[in-house]
Amino acid sequence: MCGINGAISFNSSKFEITEPYISGMRDTMEHRGPDGAGVWVSENKKVGFGHRRLAIIDLSTSAIQPMSNEDGSIWVTFNGEIYNHADIRKELEALGKYKWKTNHSDTEVIVHAFAEWGIDCIHKFRGMFAIGIWDDKKKEMWLVRDRIGIKPLYYSIHDGRLVFASEIKALLKDPDQKRAVHEEAFYHYLSFLTTPAPQTLFDGILKLPAGTWLKVTLDGKVEEKKYWDVWDYTKPMTNKSEEEITQTIISELRESVKLRKVSDVPVGIFLSGGIDSSTNVALFSEGETSNVKTFSIGYDRDYGTYKNELHFAKSVADKFNAQYFEQRLTVDDLLGFLPNMIHLQDEPIADPVCVPVYFVSKLARDNGVIVCQVGEGSDELFWGYPTWKLKLRLQQANAWPVPKVFKKAGLSVLRMMGKKDSWPYAALQRVVEDKPVFWGGAESFTEEQKKRLLSPRLKKKFANYSSFEGIRPIWDRFHAKAWEKSDLNWMTYLDLNLRLPELLLMRVDKMSMGVSLEGRVPFLDYKFVEMAMSIPSKVKTKNGDLKYILKKAVRGLIPDEIIDRPKQGFGVPVYEWLFDKLGDEIRTELRSFARRTDFFEPDVIEEHISKSSGAQLWYLYNFALWHKTYIEMK
């Protein structure tokens, strides 16, 4: 786990890549790699790679990066882990063609695997990764992001060069990189709390989509290809019994957790006391001679919108003889962390869970752990959110034989009732326009709410536009490829392509790497994802029970009280904190932002402030702080 960066200067450009240029960008990411730093620049100053090291596998100096093969024809800078690197190494060693300088570095496996199989080597990698590769013989640079998008990779093409990095702040170190808001991405941010790939909130800076590679040549040609889509690898379990499916789930998950135990440094687990993290603890503990370390976050007291679950977490830790560490946060912890949070995020990740993720990561690192397993992905794969149940019912209700004229009449009634900016109106409008009801697991503002919120200039610019355009490519792929085009599969597939890689996984990556800790995600092993998407929807939703088939699979593995208790989710008492010290800060910041910029209608901002619309105020506040930090304070 590391921070990577690099650049290629096109032949048409006189720009020379130098070591100070690369290292200057690289060292903005020191938190991602406090264990060392490296730089390589080609003799002709056309290509350069940088690397910050967080040593996890093969701690020796021979495993430092950037790394090359024996003749320097291939160079690699790599962030992530290849969990099956030992098996690939054995396959390569059997060929007898390559000289090895490390004992068990997964980076060196990438180097020789690329030499042997070219870019197709990525199909052998089981892990999480963002990789930069320079092929000196073919004069080609390759950028690769892992299948699920667990690791980020950003790039920008400007002034005769392409520059890439694990974090946007590294790209901003380039003095020629402009700082401006991508207004279409901003419009989508107001819907999704993040920006759909390849957009970022920075105009001119892109992020490589999950499961995608980019090939760049010295003449400036850029080619992009999606090399993995889950629908290309599913094997429908239509003829399997529930017992067979549950056995497959546990078998695949056990293998996934086992792979993610591989490390030369201590590994622990984030434990919330829910099904996912408890299952991680149970499987991780199998075969262990020492007690696994678990880490939990709560708050100074129970709030109306969030009750502490620490007693559940502690009971699970006790059940599996795990070491248990906890911390309780206050509103002052949040206020003190805000500037660092905005700095670490690079672009807003408008999910307040960034706060507890940071502090639980710090708790782990302070207690000697450098790698932690996390539970992201299970809810999306196994229908785990209560809000999904409601939206699934709404989508299924659309199949009823109701003429569209009556649905349009319903819209008229809602408009007359003054409900044009309500969620029922938004859902019905989508149905009338033959669009899906579900636009993602984290929607913030409806289209009508956004139109009211925007400044007159932006209101006019986006008058005939909707954020469905941001997810339309995913919708089209779903209909072209899905073996079962069910409403639930659409919901899962959309979040696999948007909310998970660009929001949930980024909050884990940015916050954990902010304290130099690696997060691993067993439920998002790509083979586990392929298996989960092969399960028929009717099995996942049987009896209307959220996580039905996963609960059945883990019953007997973890306590029944964990399986059967109502889901709460990992949250933050933002609403209550709005009436504490945070509230004054948000009101002051948003009023000032609305006056000095041209994004929001000040009167509508005042409406949100007066209503204390908790979550939505937080989303707006995140954007305002980001803009002040990254755009205004150049």
Side-chain angles (χ1 to χ4, degrees), residues 103-164:
N103 178 265
H104 61 287
S105 164
D106 52 351
T107 306
E108 191 170 21
V109 167
I110 297 173
V111 171
H112 294 314
F114 184 84
E116 182 64 27
W117 299 296
I119 195 59
D120 287 340
C121 69
I122 58 179
H123 294 289
K124 292 181 174 287
F125 300 159
R126 190 170 183 176
M128 54 182 183
F129 47 84
I131 311 173
I133 303 172
W134 173 248
D135 184 337
D136 195 57
K137 291 180 179 178
K138 294 184 178 180
K139 307 301 180 186
E140 294 172 344
M141 177 186 286
W142 297 84
L143 303 180
V144 189
R145 190 177 180 192
D146 66 72
R147 298 168 182 84
I148 306 299
I150 302 169
K151 293 293 99 189
L153 191 57
Y154 303 95
Y155 68 97
S156 179
I157 304 173
H158 64 89
D159 299 285
R161 57 192 179 270
L162 181 147
V163 190
F164 71 89

Coordinates of all heavy atoms in Angstrom, one line a residue, residues 103-164:
N103 N 12.8 -11.6 -2.4 CA 12.4 -12.9 -1.9 C 10.9 -13.1 -2.1 O 10.5 -14.2 -2.6 CB 12.7 -12.9 -0.4 CG 12.2 -14.2 0.2 OD1 11.1 -14.3 0.8 ND2 13.1 -15.2 0.2
H104 N 10.1 -12.1 -1.9 CA 8.6 -12.4 -2.1 C 7.9 -11.1 -2.3 O 6.7 -10.9 -1.9 CB 8.0 -13.1 -0.9 CG 8.2 -12.4 0.4 ND1 9.3 -12.3 1.1 CD2 7.2 -11.8 1.2 CE1 9.1 -11.6 2.2 NE2 7.9 -11.3 2.3
S105 N 8.4 -10.2 -3.1 CA 7.8 -8.9 -3.4 C 6.7 -9.1 -4.5 O 6.9 -9.7 -5.5 CB 8.8 -7.9 -3.9 OG 8.2 -6.8 -4.5
D106 N 5.5 -8.6 -4.2 CA 4.4 -8.7 -5.2 C 4.6 -7.7 -6.3 O 4.2 -7.9 -7.5 CB 3.0 -8.5 -4.6 CG 2.9 -7.2 -3.7 OD1 3.9 -6.6 -3.4 OD2 1.7 -7.0 -3.3
T107 N 5.4 -6.6 -6.0 CA 5.7 -5.7 -7.1 C 6.6 -6.3 -8.2 O 6.3 -6.1 -9.4 CB 6.5 -4.5 -6.5 OG1 5.8 -3.9 -5.5 CG2 6.7 -3.4 -7.6
E108 N 7.6 -7.1 -7.8 CA 8.4 -7.8 -8.8 C 7.6 -8.8 -9.6 O 7.9 -9.0 -10.8 CB 9.6 -8.5 -8.1 CG 10.7 -8.9 -9.1 CD 12.0 -9.4 -8.5 OE1 12.0 -9.7 -7.3 OE2 13.0 -9.4 -9.2
V109 N 6.6 -9.4 -9.0 CA 5.7 -10.3 -9.8 C 5.0 -9.5 -10.9 O 4.9 -10.0 -12.0 CB 4.7 -10.9 -8.8 CG1 3.6 -11.6 -9.6 CG2 5.4 -11.9 -7.9
I110 N 4.6 -8.3 -10.6 CA 4.0 -7.4 -11.6 C 5.0 -7.2 -12.8 O 4.6 -7.3 -14.0 CB 3.5 -6.1 -11.1 CG1 2.4 -6.4 -10.0 CG2 3.0 -5.2 -12.2 CD1 1.9 -5.1 -9.3
V111 N 6.2 -6.8 -12.4 CA 7.2 -6.5 -13.4 C 7.4 -7.7 -14.4 O 7.3 -7.5 -15.6 CB 8.6 -6.2 -12.7 CG1 9.7 -6.1 -13.8 CG2 8.5 -4.9 -11.9
H112 N 7.6 -8.9 -13.9 CA 7.9 -10.1 -14.7 C 6.6 -10.6 -15.4 O 6.7 -11.1 -16.5 CB 8.6 -11.2 -13.9 CG 10.0 -10.8 -13.5 ND1 10.9 -10.1 -14.3 CD2 10.6 -10.9 -12.3 CE1 12.0 -9.9 -13.6 NE2 11.9 -10.4 -12.4
A113 N 5.5 -10.4 -14.7 CA 4.2 -10.9 -15.3 C 3.9 -10.0 -16.5 O 3.4 -10.5 -17.6 CB 3.1 -10.8 -14.3
F114 N 4.2 -8.7 -16.5 CA 4.0 -7.9 -17.6 C 4.9 -8.2 -18.7 O 4.5 -8.2 -19.9 CB 4.1 -6.4 -17.2 CG 3.8 -5.4 -18.4 CD1 2.5 -5.1 -18.6 CD2 4.8 -4.9 -19.2 CE1 2.2 -4.2 -19.7 CE2 4.6 -4.1 -20.2 CZ 3.3 -3.7 -20.5
A115 N 6.2 -8.5 -18.4 CA 7.1 -8.9 -19.4 C 6.7 -10.2 -20.1 O 6.9 -10.4 -21.4 CB 8.5 -9.2 -18.8
E116 N 6.0 -11.1 -19.4 CA 5.6 -12.4 -20.0 C 4.3 -12.3 -20.7 O 4.2 -12.8 -21.8 CB 5.5 -13.4 -18.9 CG 5.1 -14.8 -19.3 CD 6.2 -15.5 -20.2 OE1 7.4 -15.1 -20.1 OE2 5.8 -16.3 -21.1
W117 N 3.3 -11.6 -20.2 CA 2.0 -11.7 -20.8 C 1.5 -10.3 -21.2 O 0.3 -10.2 -21.7 CB 1.0 -12.2 -19.7 CG 1.3 -13.6 -19.3 CD1 1.4 -14.8 -20.1 CD2 1.7 -14.1 -18.0 NE1 1.7 -15.9 -19.4 CE2 1.9 -15.5 -18.1 CE3 1.9 -13.4 -16.8 CZ2 2.3 -16.2 -16.9 CZ3 2.2 -14.2 -15.7 CH2 2.5 -15.6 -15.8
G118 N 2.2 -9.3 -21.1 CA 1.8 -8.0 -21.5 C 0.6 -7.5 -20.6 O 0.5 -8.0 -19.4
I119 N -0.2 -6.6 -21.0 CA -1.3 -6.1 -20.2 C -2.3 -7.1 -19.8 O -3.0 -7.0 -18.7 CB -2.0 -4.9 -20.9 CG1 -2.8 -4.1 -19.9 CG2 -2.9 -5.4 -22.1 CD1 -2.0 -3.5 -18.8
D120 N -2.3 -8.3 -20.5 CA -3.2 -9.3 -20.0 C -2.8 -9.9 -18.7 O -3.6 -10.7 -18.1 CB -3.3 -10.5 -21.1 CG -4.0 -10.0 -22.3 OD1 -4.8 -9.1 -22.3 OD2 -3.8 -10.7 -23.4
C121 N -1.7 -9.6 -18.2 CA -1.3 -10.1 -16.9 C -2.2 -9.7 -15.8 O -2.3 -10.4 -14.8 CB 0.2 -9.7 -16.5 SG 0.3 -7.9 -16.2
I122 N -2.9 -8.6 -16.0 CA -3.8 -8.1 -14.9 C -4.9 -9.1 -14.6 O -5.5 -9.1 -13.5 CB -4.4 -6.7 -15.2 CG1 -5.1 -6.7 -16.5 CG2 -3.2 -5.7 -15.2 CD1 -5.7 -5.3 -16.9
H123 N -5.3 -9.9 -15.6 CA -6.3 -10.9 -15.4 C -5.9 -12.0 -14.4 O -6.8 -12.7 -13.9 CB -6.8 -11.5 -16.7 CG -7.4 -10.5 -17.6 ND1 -8.7 -10.0 -17.4 CD2 -7.0 -9.9 -18.8 CE1 -9.0 -9.2 -18.4 NE2 -8.0 -9.1 -19.2
K124 N -4.6 -12.1 -14.1 CA -4.1 -13.0 -13.2 C -4.1 -12.5 -11.8 O -4.0 -13.2 -10.8 CB -2.7 -13.5 -13.6 CG -2.6 -14.3 -14.8 CD -1.2 -14.8 -15.1 CE -1.1 -15.7 -16.3 NZ -1.7 -17.1 -16.0
F125 N -4.1 -11.2 -11.6 CA -3.9 -10.5 -10.3 C -5.2 -10.6 -9.5 O -6.3 -10.1 -9.9 CB -3.5 -9.1 -10.5 CG -2.2 -8.9 -11.2 CD1 -1.9 -7.7 -11.8 CD2 -1.3 -9.9 -11.3 CE1 -0.7 -7.5 -12.5 CE2 -0.1 -9.7 -12.0 CZ 0.2 -8.5 -12.6
R126 N -5.1 -11.1 -8.3 CA -6.2 -11.1 -7.3 C -5.9 -10.2 -6.2 O -5.0 -10.5 -5.4 CB -6.5 -12.5 -6.8 CG -7.8 -12.7 -6.0 CD -8.1 -14.1 -5.7 NE -9.3 -14.3 -5.0 CZ -9.9 -15.5 -4.7 NH1 -9.2 -16.6 -5.1 NH2 -11.0 -15.6 -4.1
G127 N -6.5 -9.0 -6.2 CA -6.1 -8.0 -5.2 C -6.7 -6.7 -5.5 O -7.7 -6.5 -6.2
M128 N -6.1 -5.7 -4.9 CA -6.5 -4.3 -5.1 C -5.2 -3.5 -5.6 O -4.2 -3.7 -5.1 CB -7.0 -3.7 -3.8 CG -6.1 -3.8 -2.6 SD -6.8 -3.1 -1.1 CE -5.4 -3.3 0.0
F129 N -5.4 -2.7 -6.6 CA -4.2 -2.1 -7.2 C -4.5 -0.9 -8.0 O -5.6 -0.7 -8.7 CB -3.4 -3.1 -8.0 CG -4.3 -3.9 -9.0 CD1 -4.6 -3.4 -10.2 CD2 -4.7 -5.2 -8.6 CE1 -5.3 -4.2 -11.1 CE2 -5.5 -5.9 -9.5 CZ -5.8 -5.5 -10.7
A130 N -3.5 0.0 -8.0 CA -3.4 1.1 -9.0 C -2.0 1.0 -9.5 O -1.0 1.0 -8.6 CB -3.7 2.4 -8.4
I131 N -1.7 0.8 -10.8 CA -0.4 0.5 -11.3 C 0.0 1.5 -12.4 O -0.9 1.7 -13.3 CB -0.3 -0.9 -11.8 CG1 -0.9 -1.9 -10.8 CG2 1.1 -1.3 -12.1 CD1 -1.0 -3.3 -11.3
G132 N 1.2 1.9 -12.4 CA 1.8 2.6 -13.6 C 2.9 1.7 -14.1 O 3.8 1.3 -13.4
I133 N 2.9 1.5 -15.4 CA 3.9 0.6 -16.1 C 4.5 1.4 -17.3 O 3.7 1.9 -18.1 CB 3.3 -0.7 -16.5 CG1 2.6 -1.5 -15.4 CG2 4.4 -1.6 -17.2 CD1 1.9 -2.7 -15.8
W134 N 5.8 1.4 -17.4 CA 6.4 1.9 -18.6 C 7.1 0.8 -19.3 O 8.0 0.1 -18.8 CB 7.5 3.0 -18.2 CG 8.3 3.4 -19.4 CD1 9.6 3.2 -19.6 CD2 7.8 4.1 -20.6 NE1 10.0 3.8 -20.9 CE2 8.9 4.3 -21.5 CE3 6.5 4.6 -21.0 CZ2 8.7 5.0 -22.7 CZ3 6.4 5.2 -22.2 CH2 7.5 5.4 -23.0
D135 N 6.7 0.6 -20.6 CA 7.3 -0.4 -21.5 C 8.3 0.3 -22.4 O 7.8 1.0 -23.4 CB 6.2 -1.1 -22.3 CG 6.8 -2.3 -23.1 OD1 8.0 -2.2 -23.5 OD2 6.0 -3.2 -23.5
D136 N 9.6 0.3 -22.1 CA 10.5 1.1 -22.9 C 10.7 0.6 -24.3 O 11.1 1.3 -25.2 CB 11.9 1.1 -22.1 CG 12.8 2.2 -22.7 OD1 12.4 3.3 -22.6 OD2 13.9 1.8 -23.1
K137 N 10.5 -0.7 -24.5 CA 10.7 -1.3 -25.9 C 9.6 -0.8 -26.8 O 9.9 -0.4 -27.9 CB 10.7 -2.8 -25.8 CG 12.0 -3.4 -25.1 CD 11.9 -4.9 -25.1 CE 13.2 -5.5 -24.4 NZ 13.2 -6.9 -24.4
K138 N 8.4 -0.7 -26.3 CA 7.3 -0.3 -27.1 C 6.9 1.2 -26.9 O 6.1 1.7 -27.6 CB 6.0 -1.1 -26.8 CG 6.1 -2.6 -27.2 CD 4.8 -3.3 -27.0 CE 4.9 -4.8 -27.4 NZ 3.7 -5.5 -27.2
K139 N 7.6 1.8 -26.0 CA 7.4 3.2 -25.7 C 6.0 3.5 -25.3 O 5.3 4.4 -25.8 CB 7.8 4.1 -26.9 CG 9.3 3.9 -27.3 CD 10.3 4.1 -26.3 CE 11.7 3.9 -26.8 NZ 12.7 3.9 -25.7
E140 N 5.4 2.7 -24.4 CA 4.1 2.8 -24.0 C 4.0 2.8 -22.4 O 4.7 2.1 -21.7 CB 3.2 1.6 -24.4 CG 3.1 1.4 -25.9 CD 2.5 0.1 -26.3 OE1 2.4 -0.8 -25.5 OE2 2.0 0.0 -27.5
M141 N 3.1 3.7 -22.0 CA 2.8 3.8 -20.5 C 1.4 3.2 -20.3 O 0.5 3.5 -21.1 CB 2.8 5.2 -20.0 CG 2.4 5.3 -18.5 SD 2.3 7.0 -17.9 CE 4.0 7.5 -17.8
W142 N 1.3 2.4 -19.3 CA 0.0 1.8 -18.9 C -0.4 2.2 -17.5 O 0.4 2.2 -16.6 CB 0.0 0.2 -19.0 CG 0.3 -0.3 -20.3 CD1 1.6 -0.5 -20.9 CD2 -0.6 -0.8 -21.3 NE1 1.4 -1.1 -22.2 CE2 0.1 -1.3 -22.4 CE3 -2.0 -0.9 -21.2 CZ2 -0.6 -1.8 -23.5 CZ3 -2.7 -1.5 -22.4 CH2 -1.9 -1.9 -23.5
L143 N -1.6 2.6 -17.4 CA -2.2 2.9 -16.1 C -3.4 1.9 -15.9 O -4.2 1.8 -16.8 CB -2.7 4.4 -16.0 CG -1.7 5.4 -16.3 CD1 -2.3 6.8 -16.2 CD2 -0.5 5.3 -15.3
V144 N -3.4 1.3 -14.7 CA -4.4 0.3 -14.4 C -5.1 0.5 -13.1 O -4.3 0.7 -12.1 CB -3.8 -1.1 -14.5 CG1 -4.9 -2.2 -14.4 CG2 -3.0 -1.3 -15.7
R145 N -6.4 0.4 -13.0 CA -7.1 0.4 -11.7 C -7.8 -0.9 -11.5 O -8.3 -1.5 -12.4 CB -8.1 1.5 -11.7 CG -8.8 1.8 -10.3 CD -9.7 2.9 -10.3 NE -10.3 3.2 -9.0 CZ -11.4 4.0 -8.8 NH1 -11.9 4.6 -9.8 NH2 -11.9 4.1 -7.6
D146 N -7.8 -1.4 -10.3 CA -8.3 -2.8 -10.0 C -9.8 -2.9 -10.4 O -10.5 -1.9 -10.6 CB -8.1 -3.2 -8.6 CG -8.9 -2.3 -7.6 OD1 -10.1 -2.5 -7.5 OD2 -8.3 -1.5 -6.9
R147 N -10.3 -4.1 -10.5 CA -11.6 -4.4 -11.0 C -12.7 -3.7 -10.2 O -13.7 -3.2 -10.9 CB -11.8 -5.9 -10.9 CG -10.9 -6.7 -11.8 CD -11.1 -8.2 -11.4 NE -10.2 -9.1 -12.1 CZ -8.9 -9.4 -11.8 NH1 -8.4 -8.8 -10.7 NH2 -8.2 -10.2 -12.5
I148 N -12.6 -3.6 -8.9 CA -13.7 -3.1 -8.1 C -13.5 -1.6 -7.9 O -14.4 -0.8 -7.6 CB -13.8 -3.8 -6.8 CG1 -13.9 -5.3 -7.0 CG2 -14.9 -3.3 -5.9 CD1 -15.1 -5.7 -7.7
G149 N -12.3 -1.1 -8.0 CA -12.0 0.3 -7.8 C -11.6 0.6 -6.3 O -11.9 1.7 -5.8
I150 N -11.0 -0.3 -5.6 CA -10.6 -0.2 -4.2 C -9.5 0.9 -4.1 O -9.5 1.6 -3.1 CB -10.2 -1.5 -3.6 CG1 -11.3 -2.5 -3.8 CG2 -9.8 -1.4 -2.2 CD1 -10.9 -4.0 -3.5
K151 N -8.6 0.9 -5.1 CA -7.5 1.9 -5.1 C -7.8 3.0 -6.1 O -8.3 2.7 -7.2 CB -6.2 1.2 -5.4 CG -5.7 0.3 -4.3 CD -5.4 1.0 -3.0 CE -6.5 0.9 -2.0 NZ -6.2 1.7 -0.8
P152 N -7.5 4.3 -5.8 CA -7.8 5.4 -6.7 C -6.6 5.6 -7.6 O -5.5 5.3 -7.3 CB -8.0 6.6 -5.8 CG -7.1 6.2 -4.6 CD -7.1 4.7 -4.4
L153 N -6.9 6.2 -8.8 CA -5.9 6.6 -9.7 C -6.4 7.8 -10.5 O -7.4 7.7 -11.3 CB -5.5 5.5 -10.6 CG -4.2 5.7 -11.5 CD1 -3.0 6.0 -10.6 CD2 -3.9 4.5 -12.3
Y154 N -5.8 8.9 -10.4 CA -6.2 10.2 -11.0 C -5.1 10.6 -12.1 O -4.0 10.3 -12.0 CB -6.3 11.3 -10.0 CG -7.2 11.0 -8.9 CD1 -6.8 10.5 -7.7 CD2 -8.6 11.3 -9.0 CE1 -7.6 10.2 -6.6 CE2 -9.5 11.0 -8.0 CZ -9.0 10.5 -6.8 OH -9.9 10.2 -5.8
Y155 N -5.6 11.3 -13.1 CA -4.7 11.7 -14.1 C -5.2 13.0 -14.8 O -6.4 13.4 -14.7 CB -4.4 10.7 -15.2 CG -5.6 10.3 -16.1 CD1 -5.7 10.9 -17.4 CD2 -6.6 9.4 -15.7 CE1 -6.8 10.6 -18.2 CE2 -7.7 9.1 -16.5 CZ -7.8 9.7 -17.8 OH -8.8 9.4 -18.6
S156 N -4.2 13.7 -15.4 CA -4.6 15.0 -16.1 C -3.7 15.1 -17.4 O -2.5 14.7 -17.3 CB -4.3 16.2 -15.2 OG -4.6 17.4 -15.8
I157 N -4.3 15.5 -18.4 CA -3.5 15.8 -19.7 C -3.5 17.3 -19.9 O -4.6 17.9 -20.1 CB -4.2 15.0 -20.9 CG1 -4.3 13.5 -20.5 CG2 -3.4 15.2 -22.1 CD1 -5.0 12.7 -21.6
H158 N -2.4 17.9 -19.9 CA -2.3 19.3 -20.2 C -0.8 19.7 -20.6 O 0.1 19.0 -20.2 CB -2.7 20.1 -18.9 CG -1.8 19.9 -17.7 ND1 -0.6 20.6 -17.5 CD2 -1.8 19.0 -16.7 CE1 0.0 20.2 -16.4 NE2 -0.7 19.2 -15.9
D159 N -0.7 20.7 -21.3 CA 0.6 21.3 -21.7 C 1.6 20.2 -22.2 O 2.8 20.2 -21.8 CB 1.2 22.0 -20.5 CG 0.3 23.2 -20.0 OD1 0.3 24.2 -20.7 OD2 -0.4 23.0 -19.0
G160 N 1.1 19.4 -23.0 CA 2.0 18.4 -23.7 C 2.4 17.2 -22.8 O 3.4 16.6 -23.1
R161 N 1.7 16.9 -21.8 CA 2.0 15.8 -20.9 C 0.8 15.2 -20.3 O -0.2 15.9 -20.1 CB 3.0 16.3 -19.9 CG 2.6 17.4 -19.0 CD 3.7 17.9 -18.2 NE 3.4 19.1 -17.3 CZ 3.5 20.3 -17.6 NH1 3.8 20.7 -18.8 NH2 3.3 21.3 -16.7
L162 N 1.0 14.0 -19.8 CA 0.0 13.3 -19.0 C 0.6 13.0 -17.6 O 1.8 12.5 -17.6 CB -0.5 12.0 -19.6 CG -1.6 11.2 -18.8 CD1 -2.5 10.5 -19.7 CD2 -0.9 10.2 -17.8
V163 N 0.0 13.4 -16.6 CA 0.5 13.3 -15.2 C -0.6 12.4 -14.4 O -1.8 12.6 -14.6 CB 0.6 14.7 -14.5 CG1 1.4 14.5 -13.2 CG2 1.4 15.6 -15.5
F164 N -0.1 11.5 -13.6 CA -1.0 10.7 -12.8 C -0.5 10.6 -11.4 O 0.7 10.8 -11.1 CB -1.1 9.3 -13.5 CG 0.1 8.4 -13.3 CD1 0.3 7.6 -12.2 CD2 1.1 8.4 -14.3 CE1 1.4 6.8 -12.0 CE2 2.2 7.6 -14.1 CZ 2.4 6.8 -13.0

